[in-house]
Every structure is written in C-alpha cells, then in structure tokens.
Amino acid sequence: MTTTTPQFSAPPVNQLGPWAWAKKNLFSSWFNTLLTIISLLLLIWVTTSLLGWALTQAQWDVLPSNFRLLLVGRYPVEFIWQVWLGVAVIAAVGGFSWGVLARQARLLDRRALITLGVLAAIIVVVLALLTNPVSIALALGLLVLLVLTGFAGQAIGRAKPQLGTWLPLLWLVGFLLSFALIRGLIIGRTVRLDDLGGLLLTILVAAVSIVLSFPLGVLLALGRRSDLPVIRGLSVLYIEVIRGLPLITILFASQLLVPMALPPQIRTERVMRAIVGFTLFSAAYLAENVRGGLQSVPRGQSEAAKALGMNPLLTTSLIVLPQALKAVIPTIVGQFISLFKDTSLLAIVGLTELLGMGQAILANPQYLGRSGEVYLFIGLIYFLCCYAMSSASRRLEKQLSAPRRAVEPALTTARPDGG
Amino acid sequence: MDEQKIPFWRDDRVLKIVGQVIVLAVILVIGAIIVNNVSVNLRRLGLPPGFGFLNSPAGFSIGDTAIPYSSTDTFGRALLVGIVNTLRVALLGIVLATLLGIVVGIARLSNNWLVRQLALVYVEIFRNTPLLLQLFLIYQAGFLKLPSIENPLRLPAATYLSNKGMHILWPASSLRTTIALILIVASIILGLILWQRRLKVMELQGGSVGRNYQIAVIALAVIGVLALLFGLEWEAPQFTGNSVDGGLYLSSEFGALLFGLVFYTAAFIAEVVRAGIQSVSKGQWEASQALGLQSGLTMRLVVFPQALRVMIPPLTSEYLNLAKNSSLAAGIAFPDFFQVAFTINNQTGRVLQVLLLIMIVYLTINLIISLIMNGLNQRVQIKER
C-alpha cells in the first residue's frame, strides 16, 4: 500500500560564474596565481612571436606553387584522376564502415555534423589558398560520398547486423582496389612506384607495410608462445634483434642488402625495398602487440575447444586468434600511426615522401631558406592525420568494448530473429 | 585386447620434433640461398670480407668530437668517436627528457586549468609529428638562422650563441679543477651516507635525535658548494673578433639533436608519468591529506614512489627509443655512431661488416639500458614479507 516510489532527481548543477570558475581553476592560491601568470606570459610570448613571424617575415608563396608536389610528388599530371578515384574508393569504404558501426545511433548527430562542417570549412578555406577550384569541388564531392555511403552502410548494417565482423576484409579489398587504381593497373596508365611521392607515398608505404607485416607478425606472436623450443627461440631472436635496432639501420640495410640477397638479374624499385624494410621492422612490433592480445584470451577458451575435439590449428584460428585480434585493434591502429610518422625516415634514405619532398623543394635555389614555412606546413599535415587517426581509434575502442553488454541485447529484444 | 600403438605419423611427440626440423630446414635453405646470392654479388663487386679495414687510416674529418681525433686516425678510432657521441647525446637526452617529462606529466594533472591545457597542447603536438621533422625544424629553422660566428649573440654567464653552436662557461681541465671535482663528489657521497645513517638512528631511537649528523651534513654541503664556486677553474669563452675560443663548445648539430630528442621523448614520458600518477588510488591522497601532509610532500613521499612502480617498465622502453632515435642524427649531419659507420660504408663498401658493427653496438647499448632499468625496477617493487 505504502510503496513510495523513490524520488530520483538529478544532482544540483553547480553553475559557476566566470569569476568563480576563474578563482577556482586559476587563482586558488598564490602558487596557482603565479603559475597562471607565468603560463600566460609564455603563451603570449609564443603566440606573438609565431604570429609576428608568420604575418611579416614568412613568405608563404612557396606552398601554393609546390602543393601538388607535397601531396602526390611527381605523379603524371594528366593521370591525376587515378589518384582521385583511388581516394574515392577509400572514402566510400570509410563511410560504409562508419554507417555500419553507428547503425544504432543517428548518423549525423551533433558531433558528426561539427566534424563534417569543420572538414568542409578547411577544404574550402585552405584549398582555396593553395590550389584550384576543381580540386575543391572534388574534395567536397568526396565528403558527400562519405556521407552517402554512410547512410547506405547504416541501412545495410541494420538489415544485417553481423556485417560488422566483415569490415576488416572490406577494408583490405578496398585498399587493394585503391592501390591498383592509383598505380593505374586497372584503367589508365601504369605509374612506376618510384614516381609516387609526397603524402601519397607516405600513406602508401605505411599502409602496405602494415598490411604485409600483419601475417608475419601474427605468425611470430604465435611462434613466441609456442611450446616448441626451436620455433620459440627463432621468433624471440627475430623480435628482439629487430626491436633493438634503430629503424634507420633497417631501412639502410634493406636498401643495400635486398639487391644483394636477390639474384643479380632481379631488379627492385627503391620504394619496394623500403617497403620490405618497414614490413620486417613492423612485424616485430606487431608480434609483441598480438602477443598481448593472445595473453588476454582466457585459457578456458582453448581448453573448451580442446574438449570439443578441435585440433590445435582449428583452436588457434577459430577460437583464440579472433578474440585476440579483436582485443588488439586499437594498438594496431596506434602502431599504424607511429609507422605513418616513421615513414619520414625515408627522407634520409633519399626517397621523396612527404618530408623528403619538403627537402627536395628546399634544395631548389628559388626557395632557399624557407625551411620554417615548408616544415611547419608538413608538420601540420602530419599532425592532422595522426590526430584524426588517434581520436578515431579512441572512438573505435569505445565502440568495440561497449556493445557486448550494452547494445547487442537491446538489439536482440527488438528483433528476435536478428542474431 | 592388447593396447593399440599409435602410429608414429600421428604421435604428437614425433610430429612436434618433425615439424621443428622442417621449419629449421626451410629457414636454413632460405638462409643458404641468401648467403650464396650475397657472396656472389660481393665477389662480383670485388669487396673482400673481414674487419682488417678498421686499422687503415680513415681520411675523413669529423666535425664534432669529444675525444681527440684527426683524419689520419684509423676507421676504428672514427667509430669510437661516433660511439662516444651517441652515448653523450643519449645519456644527456635521457636525463633532460626525464626531468622535462616529469614536469609536463605533473602539469597535465595540475589543478590550474591553463597549465593543464598548455601541457596537453605540448604533448599532442610533439607526439603527433615525426621526430625527424622536429629535428629539421629545430636545426634548419632554429639553429642555422642564428647570427653567424663573426657576430654571435651574447647571453648572460659568458654564453655565446651562433649558427655554429654554443660556447658555454666550463671548468678548464687543470689540477685545481680535478681536486675540486674530487672534493665535490666525495662530499656528496659522504653526505648521502651520513643522511641515511641519521634516518636509521632516528628510526631506532625515535624523535629528532642525530643532531651531530645534521651538523656534519651541513658542513659537508658547505665544503661542496665552496669547492663548486671557487675550487673549479671556470673558463669563460672569449670573443676574439671573428670566432669564440675557450669554454665548452657544443655544435649546433649536437644542440639540435639533443633538443629534438628531449622535446619529443619528454612528451611520451609525460604521458607515462601522468598514467603512473593516476594509477595511484585516490585513497592514498586522501589518507596523506588526513595525516596533515602538504600536497608537495604527499606527491614526493606517498604518491610518486607508488607511481614509480607502474612507470618504470614503460619508461624503460622510452629510454630505449631515445637511444635508438639518436641515430636520426644522420638527418642533420651530427657525427653519431650511425653517421660515422655509414660514412665508412660509403668509403670502403664493407656493407656487411659495417651493418654487423651497427647491430652489435646498438644491441649492446639497449642491453645496458635494459639491465640498469630492470635493476631499478626490482628495487622499487613492493617488498613483501
């Protein structure tokens, strides 16, 4: 009779006025006040000197005239549409997986709208300063493609929720297709690997290396956990030696030794050798990440598989590895980001990826002494790419860890047949 | 019914051995093919094996040497110069990066909003751009844009800054300096021993006894400071009209590499420090506050020692990264070990020997750092009874 429903109300919101906020966060004690003043002076000094340099001394004209070089290197101009086509494939795959992953939510929520708006604004404002209107239109078209495939992915993802597990495969296919389009292997004219340059080469080397190093890394991780002493010993030896060496050594070794290790009649392109070096390097680090994932799978899983009569090969490939790999997706993204930064070392080996292209531009007597302008711009590109990837991976991590308990049951109650 | 024997092709024990033999055989065959190709190619290029070339004269000069070297010395001596340069930059880098990293890491958790945001911006910028780019920027847009050596910047404490590098105040190498240095080191060691003894006595007897120890420590400190100020024979750099002589000379390549490594690694160390401090449970803060400890003391005596346990393994890998990253000196022409080895490779064409040397040196450096840090790690772990 007297069942009173407990009254829940939100805790009182502590609304601080701007003064109270400042007092709490900036001037709570004399030491804090001192810190605030020092940091404020530092901030003002850095921004004014940087702005003063950027607005009065810097000569930014080096950027628009070399923008194409920085992005695609010496890619033949008349076949540049092959690159656009390749990027469009990646945008479509990206939009599709975004839609599939966000199938339970509204696609264009506030956050997505803000991100898209900022991207569009950057494209319009920045590209207008640096390049021609056609490129702007094409770049905006890519954004539209992203959103459209996002909606398509959402619709298909709702109809077939198990599609999420196939996304890595889709990425692999999309990536191969994009690579073939950019190389001009399907339509258009074939472009030599050594003719690629700039940001395109940076992304290409990083992506190809991480994809190629993946099987090798998984094998090494399994080998390191194997109970066969020879295989374990060899894996440990490989992983520890590679991890103990600086990357630049491995890159030089690959440039010098790959042609020597092959029979004299086989010629290799320099980019190919660089990819070999990055793959061998990356596999050792990937193996350690995957090993972490393997250790996170409880023993009960493989014991249960054994009890069901599965042989070791099936147990590993169907039970242990899928769980382990899912657990390490965020670390693999992290490794891709660091590989993306590490490709800058190709500049020392003499390849013109993004940083190397910057060096090549600065070697032109016409642009002597513009190192600040060029390197700051290149740094901005690296920063935007890495920052975007790391925040995307953080979101992915949340998405991958949350739905197990919170979202999937709601889905099964909504549609009992949609397991 | 007699027991059925498992046929050997299904016997797990046999299969394991056979599998390993097959893997080993495959690797050996691939290795043999590669070795054969390499030796054929080497013979074609006419490059003799062996390390005899290390004793022949190098014939190239090195811009920045910490030990005496001239171009008539041997290749081996040149490599030694490179090793010393690598160790110099790596050791100094580790110390400075740790200090900066701890400061930034603590600033990331400051209750001052502005400080927190500045630290965050610093970490994000330096972690999300390549180190080589930062080195280029610091070297080409920073150090090389300084005024020339004929017209150097004069900073306080007789420091001269030019695009050739930095000349700073430094004790001259003389008998007086050596004696003073010995005095300083001895007083520091003695002081530390006495301080430990004093703490032990206080622990045993309770209360603030050990006044004699205190006086002794203060006396030692006074001796140390006096030796530092007046004992050392400070040598100030002198500007002679078109160059600077005396003092300690740090080349701009060295400076750029050091700054780059320190700024870059400090951003990663800051995150390690932040994660370590955050891993200490809130109850520890509250308990030490309840005991009346000030926040600085809480950090130093309660939180940091516990955070150290979490921090040391990732810190070790950051140190290893710094040591390996010092090889990026090749990008700004600082003669570290890798750069010197690469020059020797270009001059003599001994690819395999030079690569083998590089591997041995870097693996040894890594091993030493790992061993030291593992020892430290064991010391800070909880001692359970």
Side-chain angles (χ1 to χ4, degrees):
Chain A
M1 214 43 228
T2 54
T3 49
T4 50
T5 47
Q7 295 279 314
F8 287 117
S9 57
V13 182
N14 257 331
Q15 276 286 359
L16 286 177
W19 283 117
W21 180 89
K23 186 152 171 37
K24 180 164 174 275
N25 287 300
L26 298 176
F27 305 106
S28 58
S29 62
W30 66 266
F31 181 65
N32 235 338
T33 312
L34 189 72
L35 275 182
T36 305
I37 292 170
I38 292 174
S39 347
L40 212 57
L41 287 177
L42 190 74
L43 188 66
I44 291 172
W45 178 67
V46 170
T47 40
T48 48
S49 48
L50 208 61
L51 272 181
W53 172 81
L55 294 178
T56 57
Q57 290 178 6
Q59 293 166 300
W60 296 104
D61 60 313
V62 59
L63 296 179
S65 35
N66 293 301
F67 189 58
R68 180 203 297 281
L69 278 180
L70 284 177
L71 286 194
V72 296
R74 301 202 166 80
Y75 199 95
V77 181
E78 62 275 25
F79 290 98
I80 207 92
W81 54 269
Q82 292 175 184
V83 179
W84 281 106
L85 219 55
V87 177
V89 169
I90 294 295
V93 174
F96 189 79
S97 21
W98 171 36
V100 170
L101 286 177
R103 59 184 177 273
Q104 269 99 29
R106 268 188 57 196
L107 193 63
L108 293 176
D109 56 354
R110 224 172 91 199
R111 197 169 171 164
L113 276 179
I114 292 174
T115 314
L116 285 174
V118 168
L119 271 179
I122 289 177
I123 287 174
V124 171
V125 174
V126 176
L127 291 190
L129 293 173
L130 291 171
T131 180
N132 51 347
V134 182
S135 308
I136 300 175
L138 282 171
L140 286 176
L142 286 181
L143 270 192
V144 174
L145 181 70
L146 189 79
V147 175
L148 287 182
T149 47
F151 278 113
Q154 200 174 31
I156 296 172
R158 277 187 186 139
K160 289 200 183 343
Q162 65 276 64
L163 207 65
T165 46
W166 293 98
L167 281 183
L169 193 69
L170 182 73
W171 270 99
L172 188 65
V173 172
F175 173 70
L176 287 177
L177 183 64
S178 164
F179 178 68
L181 282 171
I182 292 177
R183 286 288 311 277
L185 297 176
I186 302 177
I187 44 171
R189 201 183 71 185
T190 309
V191 178
R192 284 178 61 237
L193 260 182
D194 281 359
D195 282 341
L196 302 182
L199 183 62
L200 185 63
L201 185 62
T202 295
I203 294 174
L204 193 92
V205 169
V208 171
S209 309
I210 202 103
V211 170
L212 288 182
S213 68
F214 193 77
L216 192 57
V218 170
L219 279 183
L220 282 169
L222 289 174
R224 193 167 184 171
R225 274 172 61 87
S226 153
D227 49 3
L228 310 176
V230 173
I231 294 178
R232 191 176 57 230
L234 287 174
S235 309
V236 170
L237 186 72
Y238 178 86
I239 293 173
E240 293 307 331
V241 167
I242 294 281
R243 274 164 30 106
L245 290 177
L247 173 56
I248 185 71
T249 321
I250 294 166
L251 284 181
F252 265 114
S254 71
Q255 291 291 333
L256 297 172
L257 285 188
V258 166
M260 281 201 187
L262 293 172
Q265 51 274 25
I266 299 181
R267 298 245 171 273
T268 44
E269 288 181 271
R270 292 159 57 95
V271 174
M272 217 55 223
R273 293 180 224 159
I275 287 176
V276 170
F278 274 117
T279 305
L280 294 179
F281 173 77
S282 177
Y285 287 81
L286 199 81
E288 286 301 272
N289 288 339
V290 173
R291 187 163 72 110
L294 288 173
Q295 279 171 353
S296 76
V297 179
R299 261 174 88 95
Q301 295 287 327
S302 53
E303 284 168 358
K306 218 180 234 171
L308 286 173
M310 296 171 97
N311 64 27
L313 189 69
L314 282 181
T315 310
T316 307
S317 59
L318 294 180
I319 307 291
V320 178
L321 259 189
Q323 301 184 55
L325 290 184
K326 194 178 173 190
V328 294
I329 286 177
T331 35
I332 291 177
V333 176
Q335 209 199 327
F336 179 76
I337 296 174
S338 68
L339 197 63
F340 182 79
K341 287 191 298 170
D342 284 340
T343 52
S344 61
L345 263 63
L346 288 176
I348 301 183
V349 193
L351 284 170
T352 51
E353 48 64 67
L354 187 51
L355 191 59
M357 193 47 92
Q359 269 191 318
I361 291 169
L362 288 171
N364 183 345
Q366 197 184 344
Y367 303 115
L368 213 62
R370 311 275 176 83
S371 44
E373 293 87 335
V374 172
Y375 288 142
L376 276 182
F377 182 70
I378 291 175
L380 187 70
I381 295 179
Y382 273 115
F383 179 80
L384 289 179
C385 292
C386 294
Y387 192 74
M389 280 191 282
S390 60
S391 44
S393 104
R394 246 172 280 150
R395 286 202 74 184
L396 187 71
E397 200 171 345
K398 260 186 217 161
Q399 290 238 344
L400 285 177
S401 57
R404 266 288 154 83
R405 287 183 297 274
V407 185
E408 296 295 311
L411 190 77
T412 41
T413 47
R415 54 177 77 232
D417 57 333
Chain B
M1 200 172 164
D2 55 352
E3 70 182 82
Q4 240 179 328
K5 264 196 92 175
I6 305 172
F8 71 89
W9 63 86
R10 285 183 56 200
D11 189 336
D12 213 28
R13 288 163 299 180
V14 178
L15 280 182
K16 275 181 177 169
I17 294 171
V18 171
Q20 295 188 68
V21 169
I22 290 175
V23 168
L24 205 60
V26 168
I27 289 177
L28 281 181
V29 167
I30 295 177
I33 293 174
I34 291 178
V35 166
N36 182 43
N37 279 335
V38 169
S39 61
V40 166
N41 278 316
L42 282 181
R43 225 173 303 136
R44 205 165 47 90
L45 296 171
L47 297 173
F51 285 89
F53 69 98
L54 287 179
N55 290 325
S56 44
F60 61 89
S61 58
I62 296 179
D64 194 344
T65 56
I67 55 174
Y69 169 83
S70 73
S71 57
T72 50
D73 283 331
T74 60
F75 282 124
R77 180 82 182 173
L79 283 174
L80 195 64
V81 172
I83 293 176
V84 171
N85 274 342
T86 292
L87 290 179
R88 190 158 65 117
V89 85
L91 282 182
L92 207 55
I94 285 175
V95 172
L96 294 179
T98 309
L99 293 179
L100 184 61
I102 290 175
V103 169
V104 177
I106 291 175
R108 284 271 276 132
L109 298 169
S110 160
N111 50 13
N112 185 320
W113 180 84
L114 193 63
V115 172
R116 220 160 51 216
Q117 298 304 315
L118 282 183
L120 178 68
V121 168
Y122 168 82
V123 168
E124 291 292 349
I125 286 180
F126 280 89
R127 277 184 359 144
N128 282 319
T129 48
L131 172 59
L132 189 60
L133 177 91
Q134 294 168 21
L135 287 177
F136 281 175
L137 204 58
I138 294 175
Y139 181 59
Q140 296 187 9
F143 276 88
L144 291 190
K145 291 279 165 77
L146 288 171
S148 67
I149 189 79
E150 285 90 31
N151 187 21
L153 275 180
R154 196 176 192 291
L155 301 179
T159 303
Y160 288 95
L161 203 61
S162 74
N163 61 5
K164 286 265 186 296
M166 204 161 133
H167 294 258
I168 58 172
L169 202 64
W170 197 253
S173 48
S174 66
L175 186 66
R176 194 177 135 196
T177 307
T178 321
I179 293 171
L181 270 180
I182 292 171
L183 260 180
I184 292 170
V185 172
S187 61
I188 288 174
I189 292 174
L190 212 60
L192 281 178
I193 293 172
L194 282 179
W195 191 258
Q196 293 289 333
R197 290 282 289 277
R198 172 174 173 255
L199 287 183
K200 216 169 228 169
V201 168
M202 279 168 70
E203 239 172 64
L204 284 177
Q205 304 183 357
S208 55
V209 285
R211 234 189 124 62
N212 295 340
Y213 282 109
Q214 212 172 348
I215 293 169
V217 168
I218 291 173
L220 277 174
V222 169
I223 293 174
V225 170
L226 283 178
L228 185 69
L229 285 180
F230 303 107
L232 292 177
E233 199 174 330
W234 290 103
E235 189 188 53
Q238 295 291 325
F239 181 55
T240 58
N242 53 8
S243 72
V244 182
D245 289 332
L248 183 72
Y249 167 64
L250 300 172
S251 71
S252 44
E253 289 81 22
F254 177 82
L257 183 64
L258 184 65
F259 275 114
L261 285 175
V262 167
F263 285 148
Y264 183 75
T265 314
F268 287 87
I269 292 180
E271 287 300 278
V272 171
V273 170
R274 181 187 61 89
I277 291 175
Q278 277 179 335
S279 75
V280 177
S281 71
K282 221 179 149 193
Q284 300 285 330
W285 288 93
E286 290 167 352
S288 58
Q289 238 164 21
L291 288 173
L293 284 175
Q294 293 163 352
S295 68
L297 283 179
T298 306
M299 186 55 115
R300 199 159 60 84
L301 298 177
V302 179
V303 177
F304 210 74
Q306 299 187 61
L308 213 53
R309 284 177 200 138
V310 185
M311 273 157 49
I312 284 189
L315 211 54
T316 308
S317 77
E318 290 311 328
Y319 290 167
L320 294 178
N321 280 341
L322 191 144
K324 286 187 279 172
N325 282 337
S326 70
S327 63
L328 292 190
I332 54 172
F334 174 70
D336 79 324
F337 175 68
F338 179 78
Q339 167 86 10
V340 172
F342 189 64
T343 312
I344 292 176
N345 169 48
N346 281 345
Q347 291 208 348
T348 63
R350 271 26 172 238
V351 188
L352 289 180
Q353 293 92 321
V354 167
L355 276 176
L356 199 66
L357 283 176
I358 293 178
M359 278 173 78
I360 292 171
V361 167
Y362 279 104
L363 290 178
T364 311
I365 292 177
N366 275 2
L367 199 66
I368 292 171
I369 295 178
S370 300
L371 284 179
I372 294 174
M373 291 303 285
N374 284 346
L376 193 64
N377 194 22
Q378 273 170 6
R379 279 202 60 180
V380 299
Q381 289 307 317
I382 302 176
K383 308 231 173 15
E384 286 180 46
R385 274 173 264 266

